[in-house]
Amino acid sequence: MVVLLNKRMEILRQLATEAPTKIVMLVIDGLGGLPDKDGMTELERAFTPNLDEIASRGETGLLEMVDVGITPGSGPGHLALFGYDPVEFTVGRGILEVLGTGGKVSRGDVCARGNFATWGVQDVILDRRAGRIETDKSRELVERLSEAIKEIDGVRITYYPGLEHRFSVVFSGDGLCDCVSDADPQKDGASMRWAEPLSEEGSKMADIVNKFIREARNVLDGEPKANGCLLRGFSGVPDIPHLGELYKIKPLGLASYPMYRGLASLVGMDVLEVENNPIKLIEELQARWDAYDFFYLHVKHGDSRGEDGDTLGKIKVIEEVDKVMPLLMELSPDVLVVTGDHSTPSRMKGHSWHPSPLVLLSPYVRPDGISTFGERDCARGSLGIIPAWKLMGLLLAHGRRLKKFGA
């Protein structure tokens, strides 16, 4: 398999060198927000003395995840954080979910991310997340579907349960293509939007997807919340270079949610499932500190609380992360970056195009006089607004892992 790198990635690959330094990337999902009626974002309102202290010793700025005005999904946001231009390296969410649950995918298969959902009359989707049903209930429903719908028109279907309302499926058969639109209206209270082919090759796949969703409705009929499902993020196996090959690092990904473990696996990280708890996250980091030199830590519920419009809940998630920062700092990472993969303002109940706040700490920073970690303070920081996919080069440089360019 030959993967063409863009010019910047090729330069970094040529300059990358091994070094005895440790790099930690802590991602608080959906970190950025918008001011509330009192003029403060969730991050600005949160009590974060430890993150503020790190900001006072480091360099701050904002990350543009894709480009100005473009709202990123979690996949593009994370790919950018890992150094891949998300416009050049596109990955559907389906394969990330499947890989994150330990599923197997072969070339020619098509993966999709599933949501259990609450359907109303005339195919109106009342709740895209079925009230975030319990994981145990979701697994029970996945088992029911797997017994009832094993194949459609000769296409085999393999199921993988996820957390809460989420699951994933793999379609295996001849003539399949991932060039189909999401079978998902993308908002509550809207009429169902059925899958459509995005090219002539996608006609068979779109037909299979819509048949599957209709059959699932029959199987789940009578369920009070999860009486149907939605599918999105259709994707096959992408060609993407691994971080270790590119940058001479040994990376580890620590995440509770399957999709983020899938992302880490896709770019060549070893992956470990951890509890959705910041303390457990740091404990697992401590236990594996000597075995790796690049650590990706993911905290999910900042995004979830933002999507639910739960301002206080998002503030609590940020404060819980702040409380464990002293434990992380006891490890004395050579390079630490804290940021998000996108903004999820609770005012908007969804992802937004606003850049994500960023703080970077290493022995080689030029402290910029910012004393608190917040969106508007970071906007005044010395790093300015950086395309997120260029962040990796900065981390490698601060980790003394790049040779000089040119004579």
Side-chain angles (χ1 to χ4, degrees):
M1 179 179 68
V2 178
V3 180
L4 297 178
L5 305 180
N6 64 36
K7 187 176 293 185
R8 178 179 171 81
M9 291 182 74
E10 179 59 30
I11 290 173
L12 291 181
R13 186 188 68 80
Q14 293 176 11
L15 297 180
T17 185
E18 294 181 357
T21 51
K22 307 279 190 180
I23 301 173
V24 175
M25 175 185 287
L26 173 58
V27 178
I28 305 174
D29 205 304
L31 177 62
L34 286 173
D36 58 17
K37 58 181 173 51
D38 296 321
M40 299 181 71
T41 71
E42 303 94 329
L43 178 58
E44 291 169 340
R45 188 174 293 283
F47 180 63
T48 55
N50 297 305
L51 287 169
D52 292 345
E53 194 270 337
I54 291 170
S56 71
R57 294 194 290 124
E59 295 176 347
T60 57
L62 298 171
L63 289 181
E64 196 74 77
M65 308 314 298
V66 180
D67 205 345
V68 176
I70 295 178
T71 298
S74 295
H78 272 84
L79 284 177
L81 291 175
F82 298 152
Y84 303 87
D85 184 341
V87 175
E88 296 184 25
F89 293 89
T90 57
V91 179
R93 191 150 184 168
I95 192 167
L96 302 178
E97 292 284 341
V98 172
L99 292 176
T101 56
K104 304 298 181 184
V105 185
S106 301
R107 294 205 173 272
D109 292 349
V110 174
C111 308
R113 180 188 185 187
N115 273 21
F116 286 112
T118 308
W119 288 55
V121 297
Q122 297 182 331
D123 291 342
V124 171
I125 307 303
L126 303 178
D127 185 343
R128 294 178 59 250
R129 302 178 180 89
R132 295 193 186 275
I133 58 174
E134 295 292 331
T135 297
D136 288 345
K137 177 63 176 179
S138 179
R139 289 177 180 272
E140 173 193 321
L141 297 179
V142 169
E143 181 65 26
R144 191 191 305 178
L145 288 177
S146 66
E147 289 295 323
I149 313 173
K150 298 181 183 296
E151 68 173 53
I152 294 176
D153 294 346
V155 174
R156 300 186 311 280
I157 304 173
T158 307
Y159 301 78
Y160 297 97
L163 296 180
E164 297 177 328
H165 55 284
R166 303 171 182 87
F167 67 98
S168 54
V169 293
V170 178
F171 297 92
S172 305
D174 296 331
L176 302 182
C177 174
D178 60 7
C179 44
V180 295
S181 66
D182 291 347
D184 184 342
Q186 300 293 343
K187 62 180 180 179
D188 294 341
S191 296
M192 175 60 180
R193 181 176 297 172
W194 297 94
E196 296 181 0
L198 300 177
S199 71
E200 191 173 320
E201 292 79 10
S203 296
K204 178 178 178 178
M205 189 71 239
D207 184 54
I208 295 294
V209 167
N210 292 333
K211 286 181 178 178
F212 170 81
I213 292 175
R214 290 187 175 97
E215 290 193 24
R217 283 276 285 137
N218 292 331
V219 174
L220 300 172
D221 186 46
E223 285 290 332
K225 294 181 179 179
N227 63 345
C229 69
L230 307 169
L231 293 182
R232 59 192 171 110
F234 297 97
S235 50
V237 180
D239 293 336
I240 191 164
H242 286 178
L243 289 176
E245 300 165 359
L246 288 171
Y247 305 130
K248 294 183 173 62
I249 56 177
K250 187 176 182 182
L252 174 68
L254 302 172
S256 62
Y257 273 62
M259 177 187 167
Y260 307 97
R261 297 196 300 273
L263 276 160
S265 175
L266 187 68
V267 299
M269 294 189 197
D270 289 344
V271 178
L272 183 70
E273 180 177 358
V274 299
E275 293 182 34
N276 189 34
N277 180 313
I279 293 178
K280 295 295 183 182
L281 191 68
I282 302 304
E283 288 176 350
E284 295 291 355
L285 173 68
Q286 293 169 330
R288 287 154 182 82
W289 188 249
D290 294 335
Y292 298 88
D293 51 30
F294 182 95
F295 303 87
Y296 155 60
L297 283 62
H298 181 262
V299 177
K300 169 61 181 170
H301 277 165
D303 178 54
S304 301
R305 300 297 173 260
E307 289 183 333
D308 291 343
D310 182 359
T311 299
L312 294 180
K314 183 175 176 182
I315 291 171
K316 181 179 179 181
V317 171
I318 295 169
E319 292 179 341
E320 288 174 347
V321 173
D322 186 81
K323 289 177 183 177
V324 303
M325 294 306 296
L327 295 176
L328 192 159
M329 297 306 293
E330 286 178 6
L331 294 169
S332 299
D334 298 283
V335 185
L336 169 67
V337 61
V338 183
T339 188
D341 58 334
H342 54 76
S343 293
T344 309
S346 52
R347 261 179 55 190
M348 295 179 65
K349 296 185 178 181
H351 297 194
S352 78
W353 60 92
H354 301 88
S356 184
L358 159 76
V359 59
L360 170 66
L361 183 65
S362 90
Y364 306 104
V365 297
R366 296 167 172 169
D368 50 23
I370 299 301
S371 59
T372 56
F373 186 48
E375 290 88 344
R376 282 170 286 193
D377 288 298
C378 286
R380 297 187 290 108
S382 59
L383 294 177
I385 301 180
I386 306 173
W389 66 276
K390 294 186 177 182
L391 174 66
M392 183 61 77
L394 194 58
L395 301 184
L396 294 171
H398 278 268
R400 307 305 300 270
R401 289 176 170 270
L402 293 180
K403 294 177 290 187
K404 182 174 66 172
F405 176 68

